[in-house]
Amino acid sequence: MGMTITGKILKAHTGDGTCEVGREIGLIIDQCLTQDSTGTMAWLEFEALGLDEVQAKRVVSYCDHTSLGFKGESTDDHYFLQTIASHFGAIYSKPGNGVCHQLHYERFGVPGETLLGADSHTPTCGGLGMIAIGAGGMDVAVAMGGGYFYLTVPEVLGVNLTGSLNWGSSAKDVILMILKEISVKGGVGKVLEYMGDGVKTLSVPERATITNMGAETGATTSIFPSDEVTRLFLRGQKRESDWKELKADEDASYDDIIELDLDMITPQVAMPGMPDNVHPVEEVAGTPIDQVFIGSCTNGGYADIRKAALILRGKRVDPSIELIISPGSRQVLQMLIKDGSFEALIKAGARVIDPGCNACIGIGFVPGHGHLSLRTVNRNWAGRGGSKFGRIALCGAELAAASAIKGEITDPRELDPVKVDMIDYIVDDLLMLKPQGKKVEIRRSPNIAQLRRQIPLPDLLEGEVLIKVADGISTDDILPAGPSTQHLRSNLPEISKFVFSYQDDGFYARCREKNGGFIVGGENYGQGSSREHAALAPFELGIKAVFAKSFARIHHANLINVGIIPFVCDTDEMKQGDRLSIDVTDLRGELEVSINGSKKIPVSHNLSERDIAILKAGGLLAYTKEVKN
Ligand code: MIC
Ligand code: SF4
């Protein structure tokens, strides 16, 4: 039986275990990336491993989320990251250089290699034919140190693309249609592997838009073949020698296949709430908007912003709204300056900001009370833009630009088609700093708090249910990003004050008063980002276990890594204030939790032998040290 691309890369990188669907393997990681908001922890964790330098083939530490340095603490974090990366042998991408995912596929991604990144949108590099996976900081720290990344071998969902996109529809609409079809849970335990004749009609940046937002389906990652289109892209980036062809065998077997005719794709909008709340534009056209934002790691590429500039050229942004343009990288910005797009955008009344994430997670341009912000980003749940009172809808660049002109959601097909003629990529690595080694002293500010030592798991867990939350709770619900927390990512005691602050502002005080306890959730608990802080901060507050109906992959791993047990049970039986007790001496045996000393209900988990050993040791760092000694 022939193999898929996913199967080929996973097999070639299996360092421990047998590469069969459903089995746990230790994956050899070629490249790692960190960014500033998860990176301070990842680097502290790497340091705690006691190694001399990074061991993975290539490690890049990016500064993009708070690159504007909106608070002194963030600037302190940047200098910490710059010096620690240099000290331990990693490349550092300076603030203003762009968003990690955009930069990584431009400058470092290599078809056929593996990438582990401390950010959930790491799969963006799947657009180049990499197995690129998002993970929590501790997993990335271990991989930077040359350790395996452990994962359950996913199924492969083939997505067969035929035809080609018509004017008005874009790669963003492709992934929005997929989300509509399979939902925010449809990719769990799977890799989305693209194939078919339609693939060759998509550029690498378009493929990267699709693999980027595959993260919103819950998929482990997404991948495209590496073909002539990939070769031309890498040639443009002056690194054609990194190219190699990658394709599935003719008789490759997929666990399932979705068919998608690109000719049938029409412009779509994901209305506020969830990324799968997708509607054809006709259903929502005319809805008033207050803001348009074009950029991010999903649609911050040259062609997207060029398209917007061509649409806006000679016109003006509706005066009742604002338009913000955030190029994905300095390369993109330079190209937009060169071809006149920058000028066209400014003349139309747009505000063009420094390449980086910033506004995508609410650092600046936070939507006002009840406002609707139409964005080309990838997430639209409540609070995402930095305020729980703002609302976000998602779409592609041409729909966003057309809507900016009218001040309401607009079908781009109402406008004359525009065509992007590609110009040469401008390759300039000025802000990519090469490591200088041990002579570089690590700069630490008082905001960089020490990590708490991980201690072995006790035999009995007892305490109160401190909060009960609904289905689909995201890591943004657990620990909001945005202006109140972004500068505190290196300071767990301080950031932990914001856990569940949008849901219940008494949660922190309750944790302190009760000396910790339990969280109860519903389905897909912890969906969304790789934000390890959504596990580290509850740990800081004394949370011992989370009981939920199901968990999202990265958050599940993060909980284990910090030493919090993710239990699966019928949480309808539990409510806030219940006293729970559970004997965890034997996590391999039958488990039950006692509720208020009387009722007992069965509890299960999805823990591997290794997960159990990690939890017993108190967390991944303690375990890794234990195994090493
Ligand atoms: C996000 O888009 O939610 C983030 C901010 O990039 C996160 C990482 C973080 O919380 O720092 C992610 O996607 O993992
Ligand atoms: Fe940055 Fe937004 Fe992409 Fe997250 S989703 S990496 S915040 S641009």
Side-chain angles (χ1 to χ4, degrees), residues 34 38-39 41-46 48-49 116-118 135-145 147-149 451-452 454 492 530 532 535-536 539 557-563 610 614 618-624:
T34 63
T38 54
M41 281 299 141
W43 281 98
L44 286 169
E45 287 152 1
F46 174 78
L49 293 175
L116 194 71
M138 277 186 213
D139 280 321
V140 177
V142 169
M144 295 197 300
Y148 298 136
F149 171 62
L451 291 176
R452 249 172 68 180
Q454 299 186 318
L492 292 175
S530 68
E532 194 177 32
L536 284 166
F539 176 73
N558 284 343
L559 287 171
I560 296 165
N561 290 349
V562 307
R610 180 174 171 273
I614 292 173
L620 182 62
L621 293 180
Y623 169 80
T624 307

Side-chain angles (χ1 to χ4, degrees), residues 35 37-38 65 119-120 361 379 384 489 529-531:
Q35 39 90 337
S37 69
T38 54
H65 283 64
D119 192 283
S120 62
I361 39 151
R379 293 184 167 151
R384 173 68 188 180
R489 290 292 189 107
S529 79
S530 68
R531 194 167 309 157

Side-chain angles (χ1 to χ4, degrees), residues 253-477:
S253 119
Y254 298 83
D255 295 285
D256 207 349
I257 292 185
I258 309 181
E259 298 289 341
L260 213 58
D261 181 354
L262 296 175
D263 277 307
M264 303 302 286
I265 303 271
T266 58
Q268 306 287 317
V269 183
M271 292 303 277
M274 283 284 165
D276 58 4
N277 183 16
V278 175
H279 299 263
V281 67
E282 296 86 335
E283 272 178 37
V284 290
T287 310
I289 50 177
D290 301 281
Q291 185 190 61
V292 175
F293 174 86
I294 302 178
S296 86
C297 58
T298 320
N299 289 106
Y302 168 72
D304 275 325
I305 302 182
R306 174 69 179 152
K307 237 182 282 171
L310 291 173
I311 291 173
L312 281 148
R313 192 164 58 184
K315 307 204 172 62
R316 74 171 289 184
V317 174
D318 181 278
S320 64
I321 68 156
E322 60 178 350
L323 168 64
I324 302 109
I325 307 280
S326 178
S329 70
R330 205 163 143 269
Q331 172 178 100
V332 170
L333 178 59
Q334 292 192 64
M335 289 164 74
L336 296 170
I337 291 172
K338 185 163 182 200
D339 72 2
S341 302
F342 192 99
E343 193 184 1
L345 289 165
I346 300 290
K347 281 195 168 149
R351 297 166 73 183
V352 181
I353 57 171
D354 206 30
C357 299
N358 300 297
C360 179
I361 39 151
I363 303 300
F365 304 102
V366 178
H369 209 107
H371 286 193
L372 180 61
S373 176
L374 184 65
R375 299 185 167 203
T376 65
V377 303
N378 43 41
R379 293 184 167 151
N380 60 346
W381 39 66
R384 173 68 188 180
S387 155
K388 65 175 173 181
F389 303 111
R391 294 175 312 131
I392 290 174
L394 313 174
C395 66
E398 40 282 82
L399 196 150
S403 306
I405 295 169
K406 267 190 130 179
E408 60 185 36
I409 296 181
T410 303
D411 189 336
R413 293 168 301 183
E414 286 176 14
L415 305 175
D416 291 337
V418 298
K419 188 172 162 289
V420 173
D421 293 318
M422 272 309 289
I423 62 167
D424 287 344
Y425 290 107
I426 298 178
V427 176
D428 162 5
D429 289 333
L430 188 75
L431 299 189
M432 287 292 184
L433 306 187
K434 295 216 173 73
Q436 304 298 316
K438 290 280 166 296
K439 65 173 192 262
V440 177
E441 203 183 314
I442 302 169
R443 285 174 72 173
R444 289 172 219 267
S445 74
N447 186 45
I448 299 187
Q450 280 309 305
L451 291 176
R452 249 172 68 180
R453 210 165 59 83
Q454 299 186 318
I455 49 166
L457 186 72
D459 290 341
L460 187 68
L461 301 182
E462 282 183 300
E464 219 174 83
V465 175
L466 297 172
I467 192 167
K468 179 169 178 181
V469 288
D471 289 346
I473 281 291
S474 73
T475 47
D476 278 289
D477 295 317

